[in-house]
Every structure is written in C-alpha cells, then in structure tokens.
Amino acid sequence: MPYVNIKITDENVTKDQKLKLIQGVTQLLVDVLGKNPATTVVVIDEVHTDNWGIGGKCVTELRTRK
Amino acid sequence: MPYVNIKITDENVTKDQKLKLIQGVTQLLVDVLGKNPATTVVVIDEVHTDNWGIGGKCVTELRTRK
Amino acid sequence: MPYVNIKITDENVTKDQKLKLIQGVTQLLVDVLGKNPATTVVVIDEVHTDNWGIGGKCVTELRTRK
Amino acid sequence: MPYVNIKITDENVTKDQKLKLIQGVTQLLVDVLGKNPATTVVVIDEVHTDNWGIGGKCVTELRTRK
Amino acid sequence: MPYVNIKITDENVTKDQKLKLIQGVTQLLVDVLGKNPATTVVVIDEVHTDNWGIGGKCVTELRTRK
Amino acid sequence: MPYVNIKITDENVTKDQKLKLIQGVTQLLVDVLGKNPATTVVVIDEVHTDNWGIGGKCVTELRTRK
C-alpha cells in the first residue's frame, strides 16, 4: 500500500531506467517492511532543469558550467 | 482552505472530466467538513503511463497486456 | 490506481469524517473516470494551524480573530 | 536540506522568474532558519490551467471571464 | 539531486528500517541513473491508518478485519 | 492561487519563524509573478530527523556526529 514519489530532472531517462526504479523501490519495500507489492504505487516526476533549484541556482545553469 | 492533489495516469482525460473532479472534490469538502469552497484548491497531475508503477510494473506494460 | 492527497488543517476531524472523505473521493474517481476503486489510494494529511498559511497569515491567527 | 515545492499555473513564467523564485526561497530559508543553501532544493511545478481548480471552477474558465 | 518521498502507514516502523529505506533508495538512484548520493534527499512520511484509504475503506478497518 | 509546500526537519522551529516563512514566500510570489496573496497557500511540513535522509544517511545520525 505504500506510495512513493520520485522526482528527478528531465534528462533523457529511458523507459527501461524508469522500470528499474519502479522495480527496485517496490522490492525494497517488500524486503524492508514486508509490504504487498500488488498495491505499492511508484510515481516518477521528471522536472525540467529550469524548474529545479539547488544551492540557489537552477540546474540548467549548473549543467552549462560543467 | 483545503488543498487536494489528484494524481492519475495521462490517458485522454477530457477538460469536462477534470472539471467534474474539481467540482466533486470541492463539494465533498463542503459537505463533510464545512470547508469554504472559495479557498479550496484542487490540482490534477496527469502522469505518463511509463512513469506510473504498480505491483513492480509500469502501467504502459499493464495496458498492453489487456 | 489514482492517488489522492487531501491536506486539511488539524482541527478535530473525526474518524468518521475521514472515512467519508475516503469513500467520496474514491467513488468520484469511479463515477467520472471509471477508475478501479480497489487500487485507488487516498491519503489525508492533517496540518497544524501554525503550519498553514493563506494570505500571508497563519491559520492560527485567522482562527483567533474570528 | 529543506525541500520546497512551488506549484503555479502554467502561464508564461520565464526562466528568469523561475530563477528569482529559486533564489528568493533559498535565501528565505537561510535568513529565517539558518539552513545551508548548498543542500536546499526548490522544485517548481507548472500546472495547466485546466488542471487547477479553485472555488469549484477550473482556472481556464476564470481567466476567460476576466 | 533527486528527491524521493515515501509514504507508508504509521505501524511501528523502526529507525533501522527507515535507515534501510533511505540507504536502499539512494543506492538505487546511483545504480540506475548515476545520481550523486550526496544531494539525494529521501523523506519518509508515516501516515495514521485512519488517514489512509484504499478501496474506499480506511486501513484501520482493514487491519481489524484480518 | 499558488500552493507552496516547505519541508524542513522538525528541530524546534518556532511559530514566529513559521510565520516569517509564510510571509516571505507569499511576498516573493507577489513580487516575482504578481500573484494574489489572498489565495496563496503555504503549508509547512516538519519531518522527524529519523525520517529525513541525505547522502544515504538519516539526519539524526548527521546531527550526532557534529
């Protein structure tokens, strides 16, 4: 019955990577807490790098500087 | 003053259906808790089926199997 | 499969009122979008009135003024 | 280490405005609580006006009436 | 830089179990997406069983029936 | 009409500090985006340090080491 929301920047995450996140988090909740995977929900939000800030800067800027 | 967030898969939900969700939830909060509808906020997030997992599978796969 | 999060102020909401919110929202998603109630999740967050702001004021103050 | 999520309607918010929100919220948490800006995360969600309800109406309608 | 929010029912989850969730999710994001663990944030919300609904019923009722 | 959710660790934040966060965020949204403060909602979640992870560690541990 758990609900997990994963927020990541929108930077070419593949469908296969998303599936691995969904599988991995679901299994973790089974292993650690014995939760029922059938009702475990995982929602992934991909956020534009303009809309994600850390350290008072937006990620778009941080990526450019690298 | 309540805030309600509805997360659903992004599968051709119409503007009229969204309005019915907004109206229905707002009225429910009036009926059950006597909340003021004028400051009741409802936000609907439509999530790509690749990004929604249940039972360790992504919804895109579940829809294909049907 | 929808996930609904209801945030309200923590002001003596009863267990019965919470159940009515859960039932009402679940039924709304069945009626409007044909969603499966078995996997519809509703989570209610009760927030202390000191921690809820509207109009630049916290609700604790607004309640006192009434 | 704080996490701040700002939800606004998707109405032509510029990259510069988003940066000002990120900078302003981060600085506020430094000023009020002495938080470390390096690990302060701000995520801005822009929500379609069809998907945002207030007062039992969707914002798209409210904008049209003005 | 990812942000992960895990919502579970408040049913005697230990500090050690919480740490395992934090470690497991952080490692998953390193393994699948190559994210930097230093800025990966995990927040666990424990929700009272009265406040969690599934299938139109609150979890408190579901637990009693077992 | 914006909705802002601030998540911070639960470490003796005073009512006055919370009010300053509410006022500051509300004013920021007025200044940057011209939003109406009357319908701007700010919700502060205080999270137990056992339930907040960063860098794969929980904050309770990080505070002890200092």
Side-chain angles (χ1 to χ4, degrees):
Chain A
M1 216 159 30
Y3 170 80
V4 180
N5 181 223
I6 301 174
K7 285 185 192 288
I8 49 180
T9 43
D10 187 7
E11 297 175 286
N12 303 312
V13 181
T14 68
K15 188 175 163 179
D16 183 59
Q17 289 173 318
K18 292 176 190 175
L19 186 56
K20 281 181 180 150
L21 292 177
I22 290 167
Q23 291 172 333
V25 167
T26 304
Q27 190 59 45
L28 184 71
L29 284 155
V30 172
D31 293 345
V32 176
L33 296 177
K35 294 292 183 184
N36 178 6
T39 52
T40 296
V41 174
V42 181
V43 172
I44 301 168
D45 291 334
E46 295 173 279
V47 178
H48 194 287
T49 54
D50 283 358
N51 291 22
W52 193 298
I54 184 162
K57 295 183 177 63
C58 83
V59 173
T60 309
E61 297 304 310
L62 297 173
R63 294 295 188 243
T64 311
R65 291 180 189 184
K66 279 187 181 172
Chain B
M1 215 160 34
Y3 169 80
V4 180
N5 182 222
I6 300 174
K7 284 185 194 286
I8 50 178
T9 44
D10 186 6
E11 297 176 285
N12 302 312
V13 182
T14 67
K15 187 174 163 180
D16 183 58
Q17 288 172 318
K18 293 175 189 175
L19 185 56
K20 281 182 180 149
L21 291 177
I22 291 168
Q23 289 172 334
V25 167
T26 305
Q27 190 58 44
L28 184 70
L29 285 155
V30 171
D31 293 344
V32 176
L33 296 178
K35 295 291 183 184
N36 178 6
T39 53
T40 296
V41 174
V42 181
V43 172
I44 301 168
D45 291 334
E46 293 171 281
V47 177
H48 194 287
T49 54
D50 284 357
N51 291 23
W52 193 298
I54 184 162
K57 295 184 177 62
C58 83
V59 174
T60 309
E61 296 305 311
L62 297 173
R63 293 295 189 244
T64 310
R65 290 179 190 184
K66 278 187 185 172
Chain C
M1 215 161 34
Y3 169 80
V4 180
N5 181 222
I6 301 174
K7 285 185 193 285
I8 49 178
T9 44
D10 187 6
E11 296 175 286
N12 303 311
V13 181
T14 67
K15 187 175 164 179
D16 183 59
Q17 288 172 319
K18 292 174 190 176
L19 186 56
K20 280 181 181 149
L21 292 177
I22 290 167
Q23 291 172 333
V25 168
T26 304
Q27 190 58 45
L28 184 70
L29 285 155
V30 172
D31 293 345
V32 176
L33 296 177
K35 294 290 184 183
N36 178 7
T39 52
T40 296
V41 174
V42 182
V43 171
I44 301 168
D45 292 334
E46 294 171 279
V47 178
H48 193 288
T49 54
D50 284 358
N51 292 22
W52 194 298
I54 184 162
K57 295 184 178 62
C58 83
V59 173
T60 310
E61 296 306 310
L62 297 173
R63 294 294 189 243
T64 311
R65 290 179 189 185
K66 278 189 184 173
Chain D
M1 215 160 31
Y3 169 80
V4 180
N5 182 222
I6 300 174
K7 285 186 194 285
I8 50 179
T9 43
D10 187 7
E11 297 175 285
N12 303 312
V13 181
T14 68
K15 187 175 164 180
D16 183 58
Q17 288 172 318
K18 292 175 191 176
L19 185 57
K20 280 182 181 149
L21 291 177
I22 290 168
Q23 291 172 333
V25 167
T26 304
Q27 190 59 44
L28 184 70
L29 285 155
V30 172
D31 293 345
V32 176
L33 296 177
K35 295 290 183 184
N36 178 7
T39 54
T40 296
V41 174
V42 181
V43 172
I44 301 168
D45 291 333
E46 293 171 280
V47 178
H48 193 286
T49 53
D50 284 357
N51 291 24
W52 193 298
I54 185 162
K57 295 183 178 63
C58 83
V59 173
T60 309
E61 295 306 309
L62 297 172
R63 294 294 188 246
T64 311
R65 291 179 189 184
K66 277 187 184 173
Chain E
M1 214 161 35
Y3 169 81
V4 180
N5 181 222
I6 301 173
K7 285 185 193 286
I8 50 179
T9 44
D10 186 7
E11 297 175 286
N12 303 311
V13 182
T14 67
K15 187 174 164 179
D16 183 58
Q17 288 173 319
K18 293 175 190 175
L19 186 56
K20 281 181 180 148
L21 292 177
I22 290 168
Q23 291 173 333
V25 168
T26 305
Q27 190 60 45
L28 184 70
L29 285 156
V30 172
D31 293 346
V32 177
L33 297 177
K35 294 291 183 183
N36 178 6
T39 53
T40 296
V41 173
V42 182
V43 171
I44 301 167
D45 291 335
E46 294 171 279
V47 178
H48 194 287
T49 54
D50 284 358
N51 291 22
W52 193 297
I54 184 163
K57 295 185 178 62
C58 84
V59 174
T60 310
E61 295 306 310
L62 297 173
R63 293 296 188 244
T64 310
R65 291 180 189 184
K66 279 189 181 171
Chain F
M1 217 163 29
Y3 169 80
V4 180
N5 181 223
I6 301 174
K7 285 185 193 285
I8 49 179
T9 44
D10 187 7
E11 297 175 286
N12 303 311
V13 181
T14 68
K15 187 175 165 179
D16 184 59
Q17 288 173 319
K18 292 174 190 175
L19 186 56
K20 281 181 180 151
L21 292 177
I22 290 168
Q23 291 173 333
V25 168
T26 304
Q27 190 59 46
L28 184 70
L29 285 155
V30 171
D31 293 345
V32 176
L33 296 177
K35 294 291 182 182
N36 179 6
T39 53
T40 296
V41 174
V42 182
V43 172
I44 301 168
D45 292 333
E46 294 172 280
V47 178
H48 193 287
T49 54
D50 284 358
N51 292 22
W52 194 298
I54 184 163
K57 295 183 178 62
C58 83
V59 174
T60 309
E61 296 305 310
L62 297 172
R63 294 295 189 244
T64 310
R65 292 180 188 185
K66 277 187 182 171

